[in-house]
Amino acid sequence: MTFLALGLSTHFATAATQNGYESPYPIQVEAIPAILAGKDVLGIAQTGSGKTASFVLPILQQLQHKKPAPNRHISVLVLAPTRELAVQTGEVFKIFSQNLPRPVKTLTAFGGVSINPQMIKLQGTEVLVATPGRLLDLVEHKAMSLAALDVLVLDEADKMLNMGFRDEMNRIFALLPARRQNLLFSATLGKDIDSITEMLLHNPVKIEITPPEENLDLIAQTAYSVSDERKGPLLRYLIQDRQLKQVLVFTSSIHKADSVVHKLKGNGFKALALHGEKSQGARTDALRYFKSGEIDILVATDLASRGLDIPALPVVINYELPRSPKDFIHRVGRTGRAGESGEAISFVTPDDEHHFKVIQKKMGKRVELTDTSDWNLLHAFPAKTAAKPPVFVRDPTIS
Ligand code: AMP
């Protein structure tokens, strides 16, 4: 199957290939023709399925044939639950808007930062990717109108509801014109999603992509038995010894994420934390520096990691085990995505052993537990450091 065969123009099919998309993912095979045909779509799919490009490509192609709406009238609105998802989606629009015969301007808007620059940038914007609260702020400031909206996309609708955005969503729906195309994406179905689906979508094309749980088969899992005090040295030892790059480390609390980063930095590693107490700027930067390879280690909490789009991570380390086995599977699933092999390493204290057995049972996989109590972590470390010291050239958190 090719992107051309789905109805995309040569321009967009080439752009997809140039971005490394050799062939369309299943959700793209189904969603692209439906969206190009102007149909409403209900997509049950998770991050990693390729859902973003499945709506970005046909939306941009459709815009090529339409006159721009009057200034400060948005043609396409994408609602996203979190700033991170909004930024990622906005980036995909921007990537595929390069060199368009008819230029399309996309703006990403989210709360936690000043509204004024966003209001100014709305000038000439056709595609707005926004979190619900900030969108309403912009409407209240009369910075833009939704009266000429052509396409509404609700991305990760289940998460938006879980995060308590129901009222905001209803207020936004009330501002939309009656005739428009509606695309709703959600990782799960349920009563709440059903009620929105019934209210918003007209004869939707339903696309259900089951998450590739079997991806776990491609992931090599290792577990190390380690005392709490030796976790830090073990982490540094593994990263140093194996020259690991692009390591996503999970902790269960914000405090622990910060302290792990502090220790790593103190030992010359390039690491940043990603959690809910970081400012928006720091979170966006951390993700960008991690993706571009300017930092090697990102230390994240579970909440902050949801919806992160970091394709094919080589290594994930569970510095602390999550309470829920579901979160464990979600964390491990950050590696080995889209057919790539990956590695997940878990640190297990003696107190965790029973819980780790429960996790393995839920996951349906046994993971060998290696004792590290006689590993000479401190001895091995300086010798390697002397040979190849990790140098932190610039702290990207300081601008
Ligand atoms: P998403 O589910 O939209 O967050 O996409 C997950 C990842 O898959 C992103 O890194 C995309 O760049 C990538 N991706 C999307 N479609 C394709 C494709 N057809 N071929 C290869 N990679 C893709």
Side-chain angles (χ1 to χ4, degrees):
M1 178 60 72
T2 64
F3 283 100
L4 270 181
L6 300 177
L8 286 181
S9 66
T10 317
H11 174 92
F12 287 104
T14 312
T17 324
Q18 280 172 349
N19 267 284
Y21 299 5
E22 274 175 28
S23 55
Y25 281 172
I27 189 156
Q28 294 159 357
V29 170
E30 295 192 56
I32 290 174
I35 297 172
L36 287 175
K39 294 191 176 141
D40 281 6
V41 166
L42 170 62
I44 309 301
Q46 302 194 322
T47 296
S49 58
K51 66 182 164 65
T52 317
S54 84
F55 62 81
V56 170
L57 289 166
I59 284 176
L60 285 175
Q61 177 160 319
Q62 294 298 70
L63 279 176
Q64 292 301 296
H65 309 298
K66 287 179 190 156
K67 274 204 192 132
N71 195 20
R72 294 194 176 272
H73 282 66
I74 300 301
S75 295
V76 177
L77 172 66
V78 182
L79 279 183
T82 62
R83 302 146 173 191
E84 280 81 11
L85 185 67
V87 169
Q88 284 170 17
T89 307
E91 274 171 13
V92 179
F93 269 104
K94 283 173 192 161
I95 287 169
F96 287 115
S97 296
Q98 283 167 15
N99 310 317
L100 282 184
R102 164 178 154 344
V104 172
K105 181 173 167 187
T106 295
L107 178 70
T108 307
F110 42 77
V113 293
S114 166
I115 195 170
N116 288 343
Q118 294 172 0
M119 296 203 321
I120 294 164
K121 284 187 198 147
L122 271 166
Q123 181 85 15
T125 292
E126 286 186 83
V127 177
L128 178 62
V129 185
T131 50
R134 179 47 58 102
L135 178 75
L136 287 169
D137 291 344
L138 289 167
V139 172
E140 270 159 30
H141 280 80
K142 303 210 180 329
M144 53 87 156
S145 164
L146 293 167
L149 194 81
D150 259 337
V151 187
L152 169 72
V153 183
L154 294 184
D155 201 2
E156 301 200 358
D158 50 348
K159 195 162 163 192
M160 235 171 324
L161 292 170
N162 288 342
M163 289 174 71
F165 283 130
R166 183 73 208 226
D167 282 353
E168 284 88 344
M169 287 160 81
N170 285 339
R171 283 169 56 201
I172 293 165
F173 299 157
L175 299 169
L176 305 179
R179 265 177 65 95
R180 55 170 204 266
Q181 187 176 14
N182 302 289
L183 315 174
L184 187 152
F185 292 86
S186 175
T188 54
L189 278 175
K191 252 206 211 144
D192 291 343
I193 292 291
D194 287 352
S195 74
I196 294 201
T197 304
E198 271 168 35
M199 183 174 68
L200 283 187
L201 306 183
H202 303 286
N203 295 326
V205 173
K206 190 171 167 190
I207 304 166
E208 199 158 354
I209 305 294
T210 37
E213 292 286 352
E214 65 272 18
N215 255 359
L216 290 190
D217 289 344
L218 286 168
I219 298 164
Q221 291 205 48
T222 320
Y224 293 118
S225 168
V226 59
S227 66
D228 243 342
E229 316 78 73
R230 279 169 56 90
K231 278 185 176 181
L234 178 62
L235 177 67
R236 300 193 290 272
Y237 171 80
L238 289 173
I239 294 171
Q240 181 74 6
D241 186 57
R242 298 191 30 207
Q243 295 285 301
L244 298 177
K245 300 267 180 240
Q246 280 228 303
V247 188
L248 182 59
V249 177
F250 281 103
T251 63
S252 297
S253 72
I254 289 173
H255 171 74
K256 184 57 88 179
D258 281 337
S259 87
V260 170
V261 166
H262 182 72
K263 289 241 175 71
L264 283 169
K265 281 181 163 178
N267 282 276
F269 291 93
K270 300 186 238 175
L272 287 172
L274 187 83
H275 57 61
E277 274 180 15
K278 288 271 168 193
S279 73
Q280 174 50 29
R283 283 155 76 178
T284 314
D285 283 352
L287 200 55
R288 203 177 62 236
Y289 289 124
F290 186 59
K291 279 185 178 179
S292 69
E294 276 186 70
I295 59 160
D296 296 321
I297 307 147
L298 192 63
V299 184
T301 55
D302 289 294
L303 201 68
S305 86
R306 294 215 176 273
L308 279 193
D309 170 27
I310 306 160
L313 273 184
V315 191
V316 166
I317 297 182
N318 292 306
Y319 191 91
E320 293 174 300
L321 296 181
R323 221 169 285 164
S324 127
K326 237 174 140 184
D327 279 342
F328 184 90
I329 293 167
H330 178 80
R331 288 178 180 188
V332 170
R334 312 303 312 180
T335 180
R337 298 165 77 201
E340 303 272 338
S341 60
E343 183 178 5
I345 298 170
S346 299
F347 290 1
V348 181
T349 65
D351 285 349
D352 290 334
E353 278 182 27
H354 173 71
H355 182 50
F356 191 56
K357 282 194 182 127
V358 174
I359 288 175
Q360 292 174 68
K361 213 166 158 203
K362 283 265 156 63
M363 180 167 63
K365 287 203 178 299
R366 227 185 78 73
V367 184
E368 194 81 36
L369 190 60
T370 305
D371 184 19
T372 61
S373 57
D374 61 350
W375 288 17
N376 195 345
L377 305 175
L378 297 175
H379 172 74
F381 190 65
K384 303 255 181 204
T385 310
K388 198 167 186 206
V391 186
F392 198 19
V393 183
R394 184 172 68 86
D395 185 344
T397 54
I398 302 166
S399 51

